[in-house]
């Protein structure tokens, strides 16, 4: 028995549903059910019984939950007493890919939740490999990584080797970002060969782990271009798109309001790579209120998108 299992049990009691509790804890329902079953076997009692309306505590379960609440309250009091003052303030650290929708979500999150008191926030834009290392070493509490579908299995294996957990945020098709004045901006759909002679603006620190020859060939076919400028800072990328004629970028979907503000457009392209963004944590990570709020904000930015294949089911968050 551990504190995490106590928190799981009290969350189920609060919601009256394993499904709702799993959603609130940002974990899968099967994992939550297994954890409670293991706890019941260890204690030798049944904590919850199923009903037509969900679950409710048994008589012995109520007794156990009373003790669980007392223990958790005492733990919270101890943490409050002995944590450094900075840890009691608004604290949040995350490593993410360079994605406009994430920056927009982060901005809205801060406006809504940061308040007026002391804050300690770290928002790092980095390659997926760097974000993984940040979370594994504790440099960031949580992270988001991006993987093209052809690279997905490598990343997932790498996460497993570092004992990191992941949840799908959404799957989408990469699209072309360009100025409204770009010669191709009026086209309904852009075929890949139409990009010949135009200049691609690319992130300068993109890292893909070791790939097979077949993967490298497929990647080269979809993203190769004769003219490319690698940039490391987001502001420079947008400035080039707006001021350097004939430039474009491969990007994840961007909120319409931001496109309008920057006089930019998104265009479909048949060979745009299908990609996924994953939320990653260390195994057994306990979500803070700030992290839950940020994830809820991110979810709002991924809804109702024409370039999207699917987003995470609510029960898997």
């Amino acid at each position: 028995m551990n504190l995490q299992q106590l928190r799981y049990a009290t969350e189920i009691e609060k919601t009256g549903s394993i499904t709702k509790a799993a959603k609130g804890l940002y974990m899968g329902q099967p994992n939550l059910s297994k954890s409670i079953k293991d706890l019941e076997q260890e204690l030798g009692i049944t904590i919850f019984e199923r009903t037509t309306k969900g679950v409710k505590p048994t008589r012995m379960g109520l007794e156990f939950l009373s003790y669980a609440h007392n223990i958790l309250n005492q733990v919270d009091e101890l943490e409050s007493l002995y944590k450094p003052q900075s840890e009691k303030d608004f604290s949040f650290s995350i490593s993410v890919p360079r994605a406009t929708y994430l920056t927009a979500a982060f901005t809205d999150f801060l406006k809504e939740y940061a308040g007026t008191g002391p804050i300690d926030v770290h928002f790092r834009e980095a390659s997926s490999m760097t974000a993984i290392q940040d979370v594994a070493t504790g440099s960031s509490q949580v992270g988001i990584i991006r993987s093209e579908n052809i690279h997905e299995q490598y990343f997932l294996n790498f996460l497993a080797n570092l004992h990191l957990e992941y949840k799908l945020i959404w799957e989408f098709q990469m699209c072309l970002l360009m100025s409204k004045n770009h010669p191709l901006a009026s086209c309904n759909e852009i075929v890949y060969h139409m990009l010949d002679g135009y200049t691609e603006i690319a992130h300068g620190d993109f890292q893909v782990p070791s790939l097979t020859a077949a993967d490298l060939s497929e990647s080269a076919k979809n993203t190769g271009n004769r003219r490319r400028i690698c940039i490391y800072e987001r502001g420079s990328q947008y400035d080039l798109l707006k001021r350097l004629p004939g430039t474009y970028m491969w990007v994840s979907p961007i909120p319409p309001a931001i496109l309008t503000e920057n006089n930019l457009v998104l265009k479909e392209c048949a060979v745009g790579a299908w990609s996924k963004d994953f939320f990653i944590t260390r195994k057994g990570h306990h979500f803070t209120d700030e992290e839950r709020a940020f994830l809820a904000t991110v979810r709002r930015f991924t809804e109702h998108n024409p370039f999207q294949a699917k987003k995470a089911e609510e029960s898997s968050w």
Side-chain angles (χ1 to χ4, degrees), residues 170-227:
W170 66 335
E171 181 179 9
F172 54 88
Q173 186 174 25
M174 298 291 282
C175 41
L176 295 164
L177 178 66
M178 59 185 64
S179 167
K180 286 184 177 180
N181 298 320
H182 194 287
L184 300 178
S186 60
C187 300
N188 291 329
E189 185 174 352
I190 297 173
V191 181
Y192 188 65
H193 71 79
M194 295 169 65
L195 298 173
D196 287 348
Y198 295 111
T199 303
E200 178 185 1
I201 307 298
H203 297 309
D205 62 349
F206 178 73
Q207 301 173 29
V208 177
S210 56
L211 302 173
T212 66
D215 286 339
L216 287 170
S217 175
E218 181 69 17
S219 180
K221 180 179 71 175
N222 288 342
T223 62
N225 189 42
R226 297 187 187 92
R227 296 172 59 85

Side-chain angles (χ1 to χ4, degrees), residues 11 21 23-26 92 109 286-297:
E11 182 69 12
K23 177 182 175 181
L25 293 164
Y26 295 98
F92 184 78
F109 158 69
H286 178 65
F287 282 82
T288 66
D289 291 341
E290 291 83 4
E291 290 161 359
R292 296 175 194 273
F294 177 68
L295 279 171
T297 308

Side-chain angles (χ1 to χ4, degrees), residues 111-126:
K111 287 192 295 187
E112 186 170 355
Y113 295 99
T116 59
I119 66 172
D120 182 21
V121 174
H122 299 265
F123 183 82
R124 181 181 185 188
E125 293 184 322

Side-chain angles (χ1 to χ4, degrees), residues 58-93:
T58 63
R59 181 182 62 82
M60 296 191 71
L62 286 171
E63 183 177 335
F64 165 78
L65 288 164
S66 176
Y67 282 111
H69 282 295
N70 288 335
I71 292 170
L72 292 173
N73 287 338
Q74 290 174 5
V75 169
D76 291 339
E77 289 176 7
L78 280 172
E79 290 179 345
S80 177
L81 283 171
Y82 296 108
K83 276 186 177 180
Q85 184 62 39
S86 61
E87 292 187 45
K88 301 177 189 177
D89 301 332
F90 185 98
S91 177
F92 184 78
S93 65

Side-chain angles (χ1 to χ4, degrees), residues 2-245:
N2 55 50
L3 289 174
Q4 192 73 284
Q5 288 174 311
L6 299 186
R7 296 188 189 279
Y8 291 167
T10 56
E11 182 69 12
I12 294 174
E13 179 193 23
K14 182 177 73 174
T15 61
S17 163
I18 293 179
T19 299
K20 291 179 180 178
K23 177 182 175 181
L25 293 164
Y26 295 98
M27 65 185 299
Q29 181 178 331
N31 291 337
L32 179 57
S33 297
K34 182 180 184 304
S35 181
I36 295 301
K37 184 177 180 180
D38 291 344
L39 178 60
E40 290 177 329
Q41 289 178 345
E42 181 180 350
L43 296 173
I45 66 172
T46 298
I47 301 174
F48 297 102
E49 60 181 359
R50 294 186 178 275
T51 71
T52 56
K53 296 181 180 180
V55 297
K56 69 176 184 179
T58 63
R59 181 182 62 82
M60 296 191 71
L62 286 171
E63 183 177 335
F64 165 78
L65 288 164
S66 176
Y67 282 111
H69 282 295
N70 288 335
I71 292 170
L72 292 173
N73 287 338
Q74 290 174 5
V75 169
D76 291 339
E77 289 176 7
L78 280 172
E79 290 179 345
S80 177
L81 283 171
Y82 296 108
K83 276 186 177 180
Q85 184 62 39
S86 61
E87 292 187 45
K88 301 177 189 177
D89 301 332
F90 185 98
S91 177
F92 184 78
S93 65
I94 188 170
S95 295
V96 302
R98 290 181 174 87
T100 300
Y101 88 92
L102 288 174
T103 304
F106 181 66
T107 302
D108 281 8
F109 158 69
L110 288 180
K111 287 192 295 187
E112 186 170 355
Y113 295 99
T116 59
I119 66 172
D120 182 21
V121 174
H122 299 265
F123 183 82
R124 181 181 185 188
E125 293 184 322
S127 67
S128 291
M129 294 300 290
T130 300
I132 290 171
Q133 293 294 345
D134 285 348
V135 175
T137 60
S139 297
S140 290
Q141 297 165 346
V142 293
I144 295 175
I145 65 169
R146 171 164 299 170
S147 169
E148 289 185 15
N149 287 2
I150 61 172
H151 306 153
E152 178 180 344
Q153 195 54 54
Y154 187 98
F155 279 111
L156 298 188
N157 291 340
F158 192 58
L159 291 172
N161 290 337
L162 292 175
H163 306 292
L164 299 179
E165 297 179 335
Y166 64 90
K167 297 292 182 185
L168 175 67
I169 296 176
W170 66 335
E171 181 179 9
F172 54 88
Q173 186 174 25
M174 298 291 282
C175 41
L176 295 164
L177 178 66
M178 59 185 64
S179 167
K180 286 184 177 180
N181 298 320
H182 194 287
L184 300 178
S186 60
C187 300
N188 291 329
E189 185 174 352
I190 297 173
V191 181
Y192 188 65
H193 71 79
M194 295 169 65
L195 298 173
D196 287 348
Y198 295 111
T199 303
E200 178 185 1
I201 307 298
H203 297 309
D205 62 349
F206 178 73
Q207 301 173 29
V208 177
S210 56
L211 302 173
T212 66
D215 286 339
L216 287 170
S217 175
E218 181 69 17
S219 180
K221 180 179 71 175
N222 288 342
T223 62
N225 189 42
R226 297 187 187 92
R227 296 172 59 85
R228 175 177 291 180
I229 300 174
C230 292
I231 300 294
Y232 295 80
E233 198 276 317
R234 177 191 300 277
S236 298
Q237 294 168 344
Y238 274 30
D239 196 46
L240 284 171
L241 286 173
K242 291 186 288 185
R243 301 179 62 184
L244 186 61

